[in-house]
């Protein structure tokens, strides 16, 4: 219970509640305050519950809370017969009822928010059967059910999208980027169209270009098929190499052997394989089946509490004790014939264990060999994919090294030539800069001379005309070359298309059969996929139901455990009280006076007598004080007068000392006289 209260206080102190409670203040809350806290938690789950319960009737509050808790599938602790007590406790704000509700709600606030949101749309309205006889109401109700089912599907799709990792912001950015790329591509296509429209016979060229693109795509697909066939050929070569290696091993093994040794070897292999098949593998299979059955049994059984675990531990102790007793009895018999047999049994068990260990080592070695061969095939295929050839070995590697060395020397020479060319390029660049500077100075002199002669701009106009004529001649040459090149390209394309078609004809025939096989496999795949999806959906629904049941049972188990620990604590307290009462009774009844003095009753009686005697003395003292009160008050008044008189005398004496010239104070016979 203390852990439950601690959890509730911690959760209420966090957002969004922010209640400043500790264990003492929370435990001392009034029933109305507890109900208000429950209502605040329910309002966090369902905003419609945000109501001040002081402004609402208790019956309405209880009904509203009952409805929401039922919708949230809250199960009160206890049996079904305690439902009325639970309702009464909720109405009155009883702590044993309110605290479990708060603990259950605060444990699963996000889940309950989602359940409350879905309940608003999925909890169907109950329409009486006689009302459904009306056609309009019946049609409306069917539309309502269809809308509920549509909401279920849309909600599932929404949850899948949320859990898929895609965010709306990223999708929007991708869409905007794609739209920008689309606009850029449209503009580029328009510019290219404008350029092509000025060329004669552009439509025919576009058709040829599209055919070229189609043929290139087909060439790419054929290249891919060729690569796949190469891979298949490589795998077949690998299988051939393995078969050849096995054949070579068998030939080497049979080189110096005769028929008897081969038969012995085959018999040994047959024995090993028969042992693996008949003894080892069935044992492993049986052990796996037993493990699976045991796990299924554990899963099917209900969750165990502390009492069940204690009972199982007791049973285990009893069985262990019985086993120990049987071992002791067997050792007591000590039959000599059994002693002889135990030696052979031990030897047989040792041989069996060695046999099993060797079989396991053999199986591990076979698995390692298979994995090594698989890894070797993968590495060789990777090397083939990267280089396009097989892995280089032996003499080919040496030739490759020699070739690389010769290429290294050529590379060094070329590098030296590049360095020299770079140096020459620097000199030429510097020369170009000097010539540009000279050209600028000459141009300035020419402009000044033209201005002096009155023909400024003549040289620029002459250069512009020469440049335009040069550009025109270049364009004419380019047009002629492009037209010739395009006609040659068209001829080449036609010849290439004819060659490709003739080369692709047998491959296309093979491709048709492969496509038919692909269609059959695709159809079979779709059928298997539909079967799998239906089976997985059924299993998923069963699993969700089982998870809900297990969750409910766990909650119920936790509540029962809390109740069990609370009852145990109360039992221990009552036992301690009963033990103290028994000790008190024993001490009180005992004939030993020392023991009787230790009894709490005697101690209390002694204290009572002492207090009574003390009270008697105090009453006597009070009586004497009351009797002498008047005389004492009179005496006290006289003492006060005397004190005032003495104070007056002291003041007079002080004043006389300060005014000695006025008179003289004479003290005679207990009297004071002032002589002026």
């Amino acid at each position: 219970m203390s852990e439950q209260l601690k959890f509730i206080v911690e959760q209420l102190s966090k957002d969004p509640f922010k209640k400043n409670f500790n264990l003492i203040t929370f435990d001392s809350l009034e029933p109305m305050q507890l109900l208000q806290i429950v209502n605040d938690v329910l309002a966090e789950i369902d905003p419609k519950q945000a109501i001040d319960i002081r402004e609402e009737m208790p019956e309405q509050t209880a009904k509203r809370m009952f409805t929401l808790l039922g919708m949230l599938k809250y199960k009160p602790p206890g049996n079904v017969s305690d439902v009325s007590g639970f309702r009464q406790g909720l109405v009155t704000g009883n702590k044993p009822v309110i605290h479990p509700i708060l603990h259950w709600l605060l444990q699963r606030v996000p889940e309950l928010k989602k359940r409350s949101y879905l309940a608003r749309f999925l909890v169907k309205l109950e329409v009486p059967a006689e009302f459904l006889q009306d056609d309009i109401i019946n049609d409306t109700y069917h539309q309502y059910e269809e809308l509920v089912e549509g909401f279920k599907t849309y909600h599932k799709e929404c949850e899948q999208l949320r859990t898929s990792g895609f965010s709306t912001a990223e999708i929007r950015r991708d869409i905007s980027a794609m739209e920008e790329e689309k606009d850029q591509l449209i503009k580029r296509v328009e510019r290219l169209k404008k350029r092509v429209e000025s060329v004669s016979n552009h439509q025919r060229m576009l058709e040829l270009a599209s055919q070229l693109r189609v043929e290139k795509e087909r060439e790419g697909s054929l290249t891919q098929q060729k690569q796949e066939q190469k891979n298949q050929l490589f795998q077949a070569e690998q299988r051939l190499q393995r078969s050849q290696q096995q054949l070579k091993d068998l030939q080497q093994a049979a080189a110096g052997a005769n028929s008897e040794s081969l038969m012995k070897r085959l018999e040994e292999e047959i024995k090993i394989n028969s042992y693996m098949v008949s003894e080892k593998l069935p044992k492993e299979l049986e052990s796996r089946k037993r493990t699976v059955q045991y796990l299924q049994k554990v899963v099917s059984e209900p969750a165990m509490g502390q009492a069940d675990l204690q009972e199982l531990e007791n049973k285990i102790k009893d069985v262990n004790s019985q086993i120990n007793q049987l071992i002791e009895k067997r050792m007591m018999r000590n039959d000599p014939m059994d002693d002889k047999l135990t030696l052979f049994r031990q030897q047989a068990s040792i041989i069996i264990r060695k046999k099993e260990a060797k079989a396991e080592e053999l199986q591990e070695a076979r698995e390692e060999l298979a994995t090594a061969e698989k890894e070797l095939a993968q590495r060789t295929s990777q090397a083939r994919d990267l280089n396009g050839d097989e892995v280089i070995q032996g003499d080919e590697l040496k030739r490759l090294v020699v070739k690389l060395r010769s290429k290294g020397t050529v590379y060094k020479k070329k590098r030296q030539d590049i360095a020299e060319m770079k140096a020459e390029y620097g000199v030429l660049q510097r020369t170009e800069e000097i010539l540009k500077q000279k050209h600028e100075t000459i141009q300035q002199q020419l402009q000044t001379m033209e201005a002096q002669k009155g023909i400024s701009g003549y040289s620029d106009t002459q250069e512009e005309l020469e440049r335009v004529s040069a550009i025109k001649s270049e364009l004419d040459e380019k047009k002629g070359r492009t037209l010739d090149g395009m006609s040659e390209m068209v001829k080449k394309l036609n010849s290439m298309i004819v060659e490709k078609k003739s080369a692709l004809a047998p491959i296309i025939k093979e491709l048709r059969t492969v496509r038919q096989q692909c269609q059959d496999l695709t159809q079979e795949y779709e059928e298997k996929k539909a079967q799998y999806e239906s089976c997985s959906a059924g299993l998923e629904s069963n699993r969700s139901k089982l998870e809900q049941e297990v969750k409910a049972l766990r909650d119920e188990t936790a509540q029962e455990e809390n109740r069990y620990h609370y009852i145990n604590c109360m039992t221990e307290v009552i036992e301690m009280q009963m033990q103290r009462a028994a000790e008190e009774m024993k001490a009180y009844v005992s004939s030993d006076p020392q023991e009787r003095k230790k009894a709490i009753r005697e101690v209390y009686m002694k204290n009572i007598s002492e207090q009574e005697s003390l009270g008697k003395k105090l009453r006597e003292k009070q009586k004497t004080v009351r009797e002498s009160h008047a005389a004492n008050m009179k005496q006290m008044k006289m003492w006060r007068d005397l004190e005032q008189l003495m104070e007056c005398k002291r003041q007079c004496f002080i004043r006389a000392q300060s005014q000695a010239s006025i008179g003289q104070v004479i003290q005679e016979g207990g009297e004071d006289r002032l002589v002026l």
Side-chain angles (χ1 to χ4, degrees):
M1 294 296 287
S2 61
E3 295 294 330
Q4 191 180 47
L5 288 177
K6 191 182 293 183
F7 176 77
I8 293 169
V9 171
E10 287 177 359
Q11 293 298 320
L12 290 176
S13 62
K14 297 177 181 177
D15 290 333
F17 305 107
K18 293 184 179 180
K19 305 283 186 183
N20 294 323
F21 290 135
N22 53 28
L23 292 175
I24 298 170
T25 56
F26 182 75
D27 192 50
S28 62
L29 291 176
E30 296 295 329
M32 187 63 69
Q33 294 174 337
L34 284 174
L35 286 173
Q36 185 62 50
I37 290 172
V38 173
N39 192 77
D40 293 341
V41 177
L42 292 175
E44 179 63 25
I45 295 169
D46 187 4
K48 291 182 180 179
Q49 307 295 323
I51 299 171
D52 191 353
I53 61 172
R54 293 175 295 182
E55 300 174 357
E56 191 179 26
M57 296 298 292
E59 294 80 7
Q60 294 178 356
T61 304
K63 184 178 180 181
R64 181 169 53 80
M65 289 184 179
F66 288 148
T67 305
L68 186 57
L69 289 173
M71 188 173 63
L72 298 176
K73 296 181 180 180
Y74 172 72
K75 292 183 179 180
N79 300 323
V80 180
S81 59
D82 297 329
V83 175
S84 60
F86 169 74
R87 291 180 179 175
Q88 187 66 28
L90 184 58
V91 172
T92 58
N94 196 6
K95 291 180 182 179
V97 176
I98 299 297
H99 289 173
I101 293 173
L102 284 172
H103 186 260
W104 186 80
L105 292 173
L106 292 171
Q107 272 183 333
R108 44 183 71 81
V109 171
E111 179 187 350
L112 296 177
K113 279 185 179 180
K114 183 178 178 182
R115 189 178 293 174
S116 173
Y117 168 73
L118 293 176
R120 284 189 294 171
F121 305 100
L122 298 181
V123 175
K124 294 184 179 180
L125 298 173
E126 294 182 0
V127 180
E130 56 269 17
F131 290 166
L132 292 175
Q133 300 297 326
D134 190 356
D135 294 336
I136 298 173
I137 296 175
N138 194 8
D139 294 338
T140 306
Y141 189 72
H142 284 307
Q143 291 177 4
Y144 167 70
E145 288 181 342
E146 290 175 359
L147 290 172
V148 169
E149 295 298 327
F151 175 77
K152 287 181 182 178
T153 56
Y154 291 141
H155 181 70
K156 286 180 182 177
E157 290 176 0
C158 181
E159 290 295 326
Q160 290 175 359
L161 288 173
R162 285 178 181 172
T163 55
S164 63
F166 294 105
S167 63
T168 55
E170 291 179 358
I171 293 170
R172 285 173 183 166
R173 285 197 296 270
D174 293 339
I175 290 169
S176 61
M178 290 167 69
E179 287 178 351
E180 290 177 358
E181 290 178 0
K182 181 182 175 183
D183 295 336
Q184 291 176 2
L185 289 172
I186 290 169
K187 291 177 181 177
R188 192 178 296 174
V189 169
E190 290 177 353
R191 286 198 300 269
L192 291 173
K193 280 182 179 180
K194 290 179 180 178
R195 287 183 184 177
V196 172
E197 285 174 356
S198 61
V199 180
S200 62
N201 200 9
H202 67 278
Q203 193 66 32
R204 177 62 179 167
M205 292 180 182
L206 289 174
E207 291 175 359
L208 293 173
S210 62
Q211 290 178 5
L212 176 62
R213 186 174 63 252
V214 171
E215 293 299 328
K216 281 185 177 179
E217 291 176 356
R218 190 178 297 172
E219 184 182 1
S221 63
L222 291 173
T223 306
Q224 187 176 1
Q225 290 178 3
K226 183 180 178 182
Q227 186 65 33
E228 291 176 357
Q229 290 176 359
K230 280 185 178 179
N231 293 331
Q232 292 175 2
L233 179 62
F234 175 71
Q235 292 174 2
E237 289 175 355
Q238 290 291 326
R239 287 196 295 271
L240 179 62
Q241 288 178 3
R242 285 198 296 270
S243 301
Q244 289 175 354
Q245 186 67 32
Q246 290 176 1
L247 179 61
K248 192 183 291 183
D249 294 337
L250 291 172
Q251 288 175 355
Q252 289 177 359
N258 52 14
S259 60
E260 292 180 358
S261 61
L262 290 174
M263 288 297 293
K264 285 182 181 179
R265 190 178 300 165
L266 290 173
E267 286 176 357
E268 288 178 357
E269 291 182 358
I270 290 168
K271 286 180 182 179
I272 292 169
N273 292 327
S274 61
Y275 169 73
M276 295 286 288
V277 172
S278 61
E279 294 184 14
K280 188 174 186 302
L281 294 176
K283 285 181 182 178
E284 291 182 357
L285 184 62
E286 190 65 28
S287 64
R288 296 289 173 84
K289 285 181 179 179
R290 284 199 298 271
T291 306
V292 171
Q293 289 176 359
Y294 177 71
L295 293 173
Q296 288 177 352
K297 185 179 178 182
V298 171
V299 170
S300 61
E301 288 181 355
M304 290 186 175
Q306 191 67 29
D308 298 331
L309 294 173
Q310 189 67 32
E311 186 178 356
L312 288 174
E313 288 178 357
N314 294 330
K315 286 182 180 179
I316 291 167
K317 288 179 181 177
D318 295 336
V319 172
N320 288 330
S321 63
Q322 291 177 5
I323 292 168
N324 292 327
Q325 289 175 4
L326 291 172
I327 292 170
E328 289 176 359
K329 287 180 181 179
R330 184 179 176 186
M331 292 175 67
M332 292 292 292
R333 284 189 302 178
N334 199 11
D335 193 355
M337 193 66 186
D338 290 340
D339 290 340
K340 292 179 181 178
L341 291 174
T342 52
L343 179 63
F344 296 109
R345 286 176 185 152
Q346 289 176 357
Q347 291 178 356
S349 63
I350 291 167
I351 291 168
I352 289 168
R353 284 198 294 271
K354 287 182 178 179
K355 194 174 181 181
E356 291 177 352
K358 292 298 180 183
E360 289 179 357
E361 289 178 1
L362 177 61
Q363 190 173 358
E364 290 176 357
R366 286 179 177 176
E367 291 176 356
E368 288 179 359
L369 178 61
T371 53
E373 289 178 352
K374 188 175 180 181
E375 187 176 358
L376 178 62
Q378 289 178 356
R379 295 292 174 86
T380 52
S381 63
Q382 288 176 2
R384 190 183 180 90
D385 293 336
L386 292 173
N387 300 326
D389 298 326
E390 295 183 357
V391 180
I392 299 170
Q393 295 178 354
D395 298 333
E396 292 182 1
L397 183 62
K398 291 180 181 178
R399 286 197 296 272
L400 181 63
V401 171
V402 173
K403 190 175 180 181
L404 287 173
R405 285 176 181 172
S406 62
K407 285 186 178 181
T409 55
V410 173
Y411 168 73
K412 290 178 181 178
K413 290 180 181 178
K414 298 291 184 184
R415 191 174 178 183
Q416 188 175 2
D417 294 339
I418 289 168
E420 292 175 357
M421 291 173 72
K422 282 183 178 179
E424 188 176 356
Y425 172 73
V427 174
L428 292 172
Q429 193 173 9
R430 178 60 181 163
T431 306
E432 183 184 5
E433 290 177 357
I434 294 168
L435 292 173
K436 281 182 179 180
Q437 291 176 359
K438 289 181 178 180
H439 177 68
E440 288 177 357
T441 54
I442 292 168
Q443 285 289 333
Q444 289 176 0
Q445 292 175 2
L446 182 61
Q447 287 176 2
T448 53
M449 288 174 70
E450 286 177 354
Q452 290 174 1
K453 301 292 182 178
I455 52 172
S456 60
Y458 174 77
S459 61
D460 295 335
T461 306
Q462 186 68 25
E463 288 177 0
E464 186 69 22
L465 290 172
E466 290 176 357
R467 189 175 63 81
V468 170
S469 62
I471 291 170
K472 184 177 180 300
S473 61
E474 288 178 0
L475 287 173
D476 293 336
E477 290 177 0
K478 284 182 180 179
K479 284 180 182 180
R481 286 198 300 270
T482 51
L483 290 173
D484 295 336
M486 289 177 72
S487 61
E488 291 176 0
M489 186 186 294
V490 169
K491 291 178 183 178
K492 288 180 182 178
L493 288 173
N494 289 326
S495 61
M496 287 173 65
I497 288 167
V498 172
E499 291 175 359
K500 295 290 183 182
K501 282 182 179 179
S502 60
L504 290 173
I507 298 172
I508 290 169
K509 289 180 181 179
E510 294 177 0
L511 183 62
R512 287 173 184 170
T513 58
V514 173
R515 281 179 180 171
Q516 185 63 33
Q517 293 177 2
C518 179
Q519 290 176 0
D520 297 336
L521 291 173
T522 305
Q523 186 177 1
E524 186 179 357
Y525 166 73
E526 293 295 334
E527 293 175 357
K528 297 292 184 182
K529 185 179 179 183
Q531 293 176 3
Y532 167 75
E533 287 178 352
S534 61
C535 182
S536 64
L539 293 173
E540 185 68 22
S541 62
N542 293 331
R543 186 180 67 81
S544 61
K545 289 180 183 178
L546 290 173
E547 283 181 354
Q548 291 176 359
E549 291 177 0
V550 168
K551 195 173 185 180
L553 291 171
R554 283 180 178 172
D555 295 337
E556 187 176 354
T557 304
Q559 293 173 359
E560 292 295 333
E561 285 181 356
N562 290 333
R563 187 178 176 187
Y564 167 75
H565 292 308
Y566 176 72
I567 291 170
N568 277 343
C569 293
M570 295 301 294
T571 306
E572 291 178 358
V573 172
I574 292 168
E575 286 178 356
M576 291 296 295
Q577 291 177 355
M578 291 178 68
Q579 186 178 357
R580 288 179 64 187
E583 291 177 356
E584 179 65 22
M585 182 60 71
K586 184 178 178 181
Y588 180 70
V589 176
S590 177
S591 59
D592 190 3
Q594 296 296 329
E595 289 290 333
R596 293 187 69 181
K597 285 182 180 178
K598 293 180 181 178
I600 298 173
R601 185 174 182 277
E602 293 295 329
V603 174
Y604 281 148
M605 291 299 293
K606 184 178 179 181
N607 290 334
I608 289 168
S609 62
E610 290 178 356
Q611 294 296 325
E612 285 180 352
S613 61
L614 181 61
K616 189 175 180 182
K617 290 179 182 178
L618 290 173
R619 282 195 295 273
E620 291 176 356
K621 190 174 181 180
Q622 183 183 12
K623 185 178 179 182
T624 55
V625 168
R626 284 179 179 174
E627 289 176 353
S628 61
H629 178 68
N632 289 334
M633 290 296 291
K634 186 177 179 181
Q635 188 176 2
M636 189 173 68
K637 185 179 179 184
M638 292 172 66
W639 278 106
R640 284 178 182 169
D641 294 340
L642 180 61
E643 185 180 1
Q644 289 179 0
L645 184 62
M646 294 301 292
E647 181 66 24
C648 183
K649 285 184 177 182
R650 189 176 69 82
Q651 293 292 336
C652 291
F653 180 74
I654 292 169
R655 199 177 294 118
Q657 289 291 334
S658 60
Q659 297 177 358
S661 60
I662 297 171
Q664 184 178 5
V665 178
I666 300 171
Q667 295 179 353
E668 290 180 356
E671 295 178 352
D672 296 334
R673 290 183 298 166
L674 178 62
V675 180
L676 298 174

